[in-house]
Amino acid sequence: MSRMQLFAFILQTQVGIGVLSFPYVLHQAAGEDGWISVILAGGCVNVLLIIYAALCRRFPKKNFYEFMPLILGKWLGNVVNAFYTFHFLFLSCLILLMEMMFVELWILPFTNPWLVIAANFVILIYFAKERLAIIARYHTMVTFLLILMVAMMLTSFYTMDYRYLLPIGQKGWTAIMAGVKSSVITFLGFELFLVLSSDVQSKEKGILAPVLWANTMATLFFLVVVLLCFLNFSPESIPFIPQPVPYFLNGISLPFLERMDLIFLSVWLVKVTASLISYMYAAGKGFGYWFHNNEHRKAIYYLVPLVCLVGFAWRSEKRIALLQKVTEFESFIAIGLPVLLLLFVWLKGKKGGQQL
């Protein structure tokens, strides 16, 4: 996998299911100052990525699953590997469930949910079992869709009012930091760098720049989304619009096009699928490490049916909300644990599995 493909892989994974409801969730946490939280969250994620790169650089020919037993020992290392594998698996289930919910709500309200699951089943079996380079090529190919999504959102400026953002800082730093917490969860996808780093065909110093650029681009994209929603909806109305992005696009009508929201959602589905493929690959990589001689292909053949089965059986708003709470809690552990691992490795003087 090249550096450009690594950039596309991380970017496509980050910009996924959270796009439609992110302004609503952010406004609940930080109010009108949520756009400040997005910028701070992007900076925090970049710091985390620097830490991840420093950890992976000590084991340049091994991915996270391979070097974890070298750091913590076989038993505890496999426990941590299991935690990350199920982290990726839970997120795959959540993405599929939320995709089904949004598709039923905005695009196909009378369509049997089995058809949505079947479409995802075929796509995941086809892509997630492939080599990383092939998946990365697909992510690179669909990267341009981000530009199209931004262009569609920028087709109307008539209803914007900058006064909705004033006064800046009115909610205080406590609310802004709460918004940072919500933003970091939306930015999830960058932690896959731990699994991908050993497969990048580049010198050690060249691995970090692509992921930093990917997160920066994702931050800018989410910032545009948040600002457009905050400038178009009053602070009093956003709390009553759980998916403000398609609601905003639904009000845009061009001379040659009326339902801008449907076109946007069609493009968004491609992005969601790319994110789902990434997480399924990472989960398959974990099961492959345990049971299939580090080969993820065989694991995909039973993980995809499992995720699709959960998508059908777990289909209710209360259950989705419960899964969201679980994944939010364990996601903070997943993104914070490498910081402690790097400190432990530095104190123990471990590198490449050997004592320095």
Side-chain angles (χ1 to χ4, degrees):
M1 183 171 63
S2 67
R3 297 173 69 217
M4 180 61 190
Q5 290 173 338
L6 176 63
F7 164 84
F9 199 105
I10 298 298
L11 179 60
Q12 299 308 316
T13 308
Q14 284 188 279
V15 180
I17 197 68
V19 173
L20 304 187
S21 57
F22 179 49
Y24 169 79
V25 174
L26 186 61
H27 191 273
Q28 285 186 318
E32 297 76 49
D33 295 324
W35 63 275
I36 303 175
S37 301
V38 175
I39 298 173
L40 294 177
C44 292
V45 172
N46 275 342
V47 172
L48 287 172
L49 286 170
I50 293 172
I51 294 173
Y52 293 178
L55 178 63
C56 295
R57 195 170 294 157
R58 287 180 169 261
F59 307 89
K61 296 183 179 180
K62 293 179 172 61
N63 61 43
F64 185 82
Y65 295 119
E66 294 170 326
F67 66 67
M68 194 49 52
L70 301 177
I71 297 176
L72 299 176
K74 185 176 180 180
W75 185 85
L76 187 56
N78 283 330
V79 170
V80 173
N81 280 342
F83 171 77
Y84 275 87
T85 301
F86 283 99
H87 162 72
F88 297 135
L89 199 59
F90 287 160
L91 283 173
S92 299
C93 294
L94 180 62
I95 290 171
L96 180 60
L97 286 165
M98 295 186 69
E99 178 190 355
M100 292 173 61
M101 181 179 68
F102 288 141
V103 167
E104 183 177 4
L105 182 64
W106 285 98
I107 305 177
L108 303 170
F110 303 109
T111 299
N112 193 310
W114 271 111
L115 296 177
V116 180
I117 292 177
N120 279 281
F121 178 85
V122 173
I123 293 171
L124 289 175
I125 287 290
Y126 183 78
F127 275 109
K129 66 179 175 56
E130 296 295 339
R131 294 182 294 109
L132 179 60
I134 295 176
I135 299 174
R137 287 173 199 162
Y138 170 75
H139 287 345
T140 304
M141 183 180 66
V142 300
T143 300
F144 76 95
L145 293 178
L146 274 178
I147 301 175
L148 180 60
M149 292 171 72
V150 173
M152 285 189 282
M153 289 187 291
L154 292 176
T155 51
S156 176
F157 296 92
Y158 302 110
T159 58
M160 293 185 184
D161 192 340
Y162 72 91
R163 291 174 295 181
Y164 290 156
L165 300 179
L166 300 178
I168 297 175
Q170 59 182 300
K171 297 294 183 179
W173 281 103
T174 302
I176 291 174
M177 295 311 296
V180 171
K181 176 183 175 182
S182 299
S183 300
V184 169
I185 292 298
T186 304
F187 287 7
L188 280 177
F190 63 89
E191 75 276 18
L192 266 69
F193 174 65
L194 296 166
V195 180
L196 307 175
S197 61
S198 62
D199 295 311
V200 181
Q201 298 175 355
S202 178
K203 296 180 180 179
E204 293 182 13
K205 293 183 179 179
I207 294 177
L208 180 59
V211 291
L212 291 181
W213 276 109
N215 179 66
T216 300
M217 293 299 295
T219 302
L220 291 175
F221 175 81
F222 282 118
L223 182 62
V224 169
V225 171
V226 167
L227 285 175
L228 284 174
C229 290
F230 282 13
L231 289 170
N232 280 279
F233 299 111
S234 67
E236 293 77 19
S237 62
I238 289 185
F240 299 98
I241 310 175
Q243 293 92 37
V245 175
Y247 192 88
F248 160 64
L249 291 167
N250 190 37
I252 298 176
S253 179
L254 301 178
F256 53 90
L257 187 64
E258 286 194 15
R259 293 300 304 273
M260 181 72 76
D261 57 320
L262 290 182
I263 298 178
F264 181 90
L265 289 170
S266 300
V267 176
W268 168 80
L269 280 175
V270 178
K271 306 289 294 177
V272 172
T273 303
S275 182
L276 186 56
I277 292 170
S278 299
Y279 279 116
M280 284 304 307
Y281 170 83
K285 196 75 173 175
F287 277 89
Y289 171 76
W290 289 331
F291 306 116
H292 307 296
N293 296 321
N294 215 20
E295 174 58 54
H296 78 286
R297 179 186 291 265
K298 294 180 181 178
I300 292 298
Y301 287 120
Y302 55 82
L303 288 180
V304 170
L306 175 63
V307 169
C308 291
L309 183 62
V310 171
F312 184 78
W314 203 261
R315 187 173 161 268
S316 75
E317 291 187 9
K318 291 184 178 180
R319 290 176 176 177
I320 293 174
L322 175 61
L323 186 59
Q324 280 183 299
K325 292 181 180 179
V326 172
T327 53
E328 180 178 340
F329 175 76
E330 55 88 14
S331 292
F332 280 111
I333 299 176
I335 64 179
L337 186 57
V339 179
L340 300 178
L341 291 173
L342 178 62
L343 180 61
F344 179 78
V345 167
W346 180 74
L347 291 175
K348 291 291 184 179
K350 287 187 177 182
K351 186 175 183 180
Q354 303 294 326
Q355 295 287 341
L356 291 178

